[in-house]
Amino acid sequence: MNRRRLLAVGVTAALAGCVSYPGDDEPPETEPPESETLVRDAIETRRHMTDLQARRTMTVETPDETVERTERIARNPPAKQRIEVLESTDPDIPAGAVTVTNRATTWEYNPSTAVVDKQYHPNKVDTDRTRLVLESLLEKSRLGYEGVETVDGREAHVIETKPPVDDIGPTINLVVGETTFVVPLRMTGDPDAMDLSRTVWIDDEYRYPIKERNAVSIDGETRHELTVTYEDLVIDAGLEPGTFTYHPPTDATVVTDGRKPLGVFESRAAAEAVAPYHLPEPAVPGSYLLDRVTVVEKAERFGTTTTLWYNDPNVVARELYVAVREVQRFSPDVLEEIEVDGHTAYRRDGRIQSVFWTCDDVSYEVSSLTDDAPLLEIASSIGCP
């Protein structure tokens, strides 16, 4: 049985106490799942997702025009994605456009100009934006269950959400789109006259968002509506090898942006062969595995940075990294001073949790986006080699 189906069955079983029996000759009626339960299920689906593939349609409607784009997408959250535009009436993103992102590089091909923009980002920290948006909906929005509808032949639960007024901003982070969409939300000086509604359809089998609609109204008139829908959605079925590798068309011009790394390596030993210093062997929790090691030579005054990236393959975006630098890049004056095994170190709290310290001519950093990583223990295992 599909693991997602098992999850759905588990929720049904949990609601068994809500079943009523009007009479022996009538079938029992099961109360629908609560909106909060559905969003929690979607968060759990996302946390443990391996891959996703679908056909995605995005439609933007205003009083003056309608723009639509249909794409084929493949994702390996949180960092890898492939988007191929199949049809488009959007002049900025024409049919034939392709975007491919892996851990170290993003390729963007524009067929109207025959230009490929290749961006290097070997040390980019990847958050799971979709999970964060779902968590924000659960924590901050008012949720209302609106029944069941069919989306692309699949049964989906409809949830209406209302954000707090002070959360309305100039952009919307999409659940289904997995991107940020700019909408004209600041269209009036009177925030009381503006209304933002968000509807999310959660697929019953996968317990995952399959459709989303955002509408902006002023004085009861819809000024902007964005609808995103997944068709042919498949989760955790495996992707073709090379999905996140891109080969530019032979007639395209390739322009580059960002600093090209000296190398992205699968092992610590391979990276140490090109790094100008000894690389540590940090003791990380058993659930973490070494994903890659990046070596980047920056401007002369910043030297070479080597980053050892570790992630938990069973949880999306549960990642930590150890950075080794020739030049100290942190400012002790804005950090909390602590002690790690008799050595002075500095701690940073916030979106990224970090511990910094310097030994002789080498500077170290241990960081994580999750607050359950034992940074002090990892720092202690490195020490001052």
Side-chain angles (χ1 to χ4, degrees):
M1 183 182 289
N2 188 300
R3 181 169 69 85
R4 309 301 177 196
R5 173 62 67 184
L6 280 172
L7 178 59
V9 170
V11 172
T12 302
L15 293 168
C18 299
V19 177
S20 59
Y21 298 90
D24 293 337
D25 57 340
E26 298 180 24
E29 293 185 3
T30 302
E31 292 186 6
E34 294 183 353
S35 300
E36 291 78 4
T37 299
L38 290 164
V39 176
R40 288 191 184 96
D41 289 347
I43 291 170
E44 284 305 303
T45 299
R46 181 68 182 193
R47 278 174 55 83
H48 302 288
M49 176 185 294
T50 300
D51 56 74
L52 176 153
Q53 50 191 315
R55 179 184 173 100
R56 181 179 70 186
T57 300
M58 305 179 69
T59 305
V60 179
E61 298 177 78
T62 68
D64 300 323
E65 64 175 345
T66 297
V67 175
E68 186 168 275
R69 187 167 78 244
T70 301
E71 306 162 328
R72 181 185 298 112
I73 68 170
R75 299 188 186 278
N76 181 196
K80 300 178 181 178
Q81 70 173 4
R82 185 183 191 97
I83 302 175
E84 301 175 357
V85 180
L86 305 177
E87 303 171 10
S88 177
T89 59
D90 183 345
D92 296 325
I93 307 179
V98 179
T99 300
V100 179
T101 298
N102 55 42
R103 287 288 192 177
T105 311
T106 291
W107 302 80
E108 293 184 335
Y109 170 58
N110 187 336
S112 63
T113 59
V115 172
V116 175
D117 182 11
K118 182 180 182 181
Q119 179 183 4
Y120 295 106
H121 46 70
N123 288 333
K124 179 169 68 73
V125 178
D126 294 298
T127 59
D128 185 10
R129 178 159 45 186
T130 296
R131 178 178 57 80
L132 294 176
V133 174
L134 287 167
E135 289 176 347
S136 178
L137 288 179
L138 184 62
E139 295 169 3
K140 299 180 180 180
S141 297
R142 295 162 286 164
L143 307 179
Y145 186 77
E146 298 295 327
V148 177
E149 293 182 5
T150 299
V151 178
D152 190 38
R154 305 176 67 88
E155 188 176 275
H157 301 275
V158 186
I159 299 176
E160 291 283 352
T161 81
K162 286 288 187 179
V165 174
D166 57 4
D167 269 13
I168 297 178
T171 61
I172 293 175
N173 286 317
L174 301 180
V175 173
V176 176
E178 300 191 45
T179 186
T180 298
F181 206 91
V182 179
V183 295
L185 295 178
R186 303 295 187 189
M187 294 180 290
T188 175
D190 181 7
D192 294 332
M194 181 170 58
D195 181 67
L196 170 63
S197 66
R198 183 178 203 157
T199 308
V200 178
W201 286 255
I202 295 183
D203 178 76
D204 182 66
E205 178 184 3
Y206 287 125
R207 291 297 168 100
Y208 192 74
I210 195 173
K211 182 178 177 180
E212 175 178 1
R213 179 183 295 130
N214 293 275
V216 180
S217 302
I218 296 178
D219 294 330
E221 179 186 355
T222 300
R223 299 289 187 89
H224 190 284
E225 185 171 284
L226 165 67
T227 304
V228 189
T229 307
Y230 279 154
E231 297 174 340
D232 303 324
L233 173 66
V234 180
I235 293 176
D236 293 349
L239 299 172
E240 292 292 327
T243 296
F244 306 111
T245 301
Y246 183 69
H247 300 288
T250 55
D251 60 345
T253 300
V254 178
V255 296
T256 60
D257 185 22
R259 188 170 293 275
K260 182 179 181 180
L262 292 177
V264 180
F265 305 93
E266 295 184 357
S267 70
R268 172 184 159 277
E272 192 165 52
V274 300
Y277 35 59
H278 171 75
L279 297 183
E281 297 184 68
V284 300
S287 58
Y288 286 85
L289 300 176
L290 180 65
D291 181 73
R292 66 201 182 282
V293 185
T294 59
V295 183
V296 179
E297 188 177 44
K298 300 190 176 183
E300 183 177 351
R301 65 191 182 96
F302 294 135
T304 299
T305 297
T306 302
T307 309
L308 297 88
W309 297 88
Y310 299 84
N311 64 34
D312 184 341
N314 297 311
V315 181
V316 173
R318 190 164 184 253
E319 184 173 70
L320 63 85
Y321 62 87
V322 175
V324 186
R325 300 181 175 91
E326 288 185 288
V327 178
Q328 177 176 306
R329 297 295 304 278
F330 63 88
S331 175
D333 296 338
V334 298
L335 301 172
E336 176 190 359
E337 183 176 324
I338 60 174
E339 184 177 293
V340 177
D341 288 350
H343 301 287
T344 299
Y346 300 89
R347 179 161 49 198
R348 175 182 64 193
D349 291 324
R351 186 179 68 88
I352 299 178
Q353 312 283 322
S354 304
V355 175
F356 304 91
W357 72 103
T358 297
C359 296
D360 298 327
D361 296 326
V362 180
S363 182
Y364 298 90
E365 173 189 350
V366 180
S367 290
S368 173
L369 278 91
T370 59
D371 56 12
D372 62 346
L375 300 185
L376 292 178
E377 289 84 346
I378 297 171
S380 179
S381 73
I382 298 171
C384 278

